[in-house]
Amino acid sequence: MAINVANLLGRFTSDPELRITPDGIPVVNFILAVQRPRHLWTPRQKADFIKCISWRNQAILIADKCKKGSSVIISGRLQSFSYVDAAGIKRNNQEVKVTEINIE
């Protein structure tokens, strides 16, 4: 049995921009800043910047309700993919495909 679940609490690093695919499907990509746990020996709070993607009605909701700095809780699944960039170099990437969102 395989389990692939990501639950994140974070803030938008920029305003989400809704775009429409050639097939007419709304999609929004965004980055969440998620704080790491702070330890006594850590002088500053650190964060991870997680790429996320949402589709269809959920994408429209995110574009309408969220902006830079908005705090959200998301659930989704981690996806890995690779591509070849303009310089011909193979790149590997990961993002969270959002299945649920709670806008605070």
Side-chain angles (χ1 to χ4, degrees), residues 4-8 50 74-78 96-97 99-100:
N4 181 354
V5 178
N7 295 308
L8 303 171
I50 313 292
I74 66 165
S75 292
R77 72 175 190 273
L78 187 62
V96 173
K97 183 173 182 184
T99 55
E100 293 181 38

Side-chain angles (χ1 to χ4, degrees), residues 86-101:
I89 300 170
K90 184 178 179 181
R91 303 283 182 182
N92 296 311
N93 211 341
Q94 294 181 333
E95 66 187 9
V96 173
K97 183 173 182 184
V98 178
T99 55
E100 293 181 38
I101 187 164

Side-chain angles (χ1 to χ4, degrees), residues 1-74:
M1 179 169 152
I3 298 174
N4 181 354
V5 178
N7 295 308
L8 303 171
L9 165 64
R11 294 188 180 274
F12 279 77
T13 60
S14 62
D15 292 341
E17 291 186 28
L18 182 69
R19 60 186 176 84
I20 307 297
T21 67
D23 295 332
I25 300 170
V27 63
V28 66
N29 294 76
F30 57 93
I31 297 176
L32 279 187
V34 178
Q35 290 186 344
R36 293 181 185 173
R38 187 162 184 197
H39 302 286
L40 294 175
W41 60 86
T42 307
R44 288 184 20 175
Q45 183 73 43
K46 293 186 179 181
D48 293 304
F49 298 89
I50 313 292
K51 293 180 182 182
C52 302
I53 187 168
S54 185
W55 296 86
R56 297 183 169 75
N57 292 339
Q58 197 171 63
I60 295 168
L61 173 75
I62 290 170
D64 288 345
K65 301 287 184 184
C66 298
K67 61 180 180 173
K68 180 179 180 177
S70 293
S71 179
V72 295
I73 299 171
I74 66 165

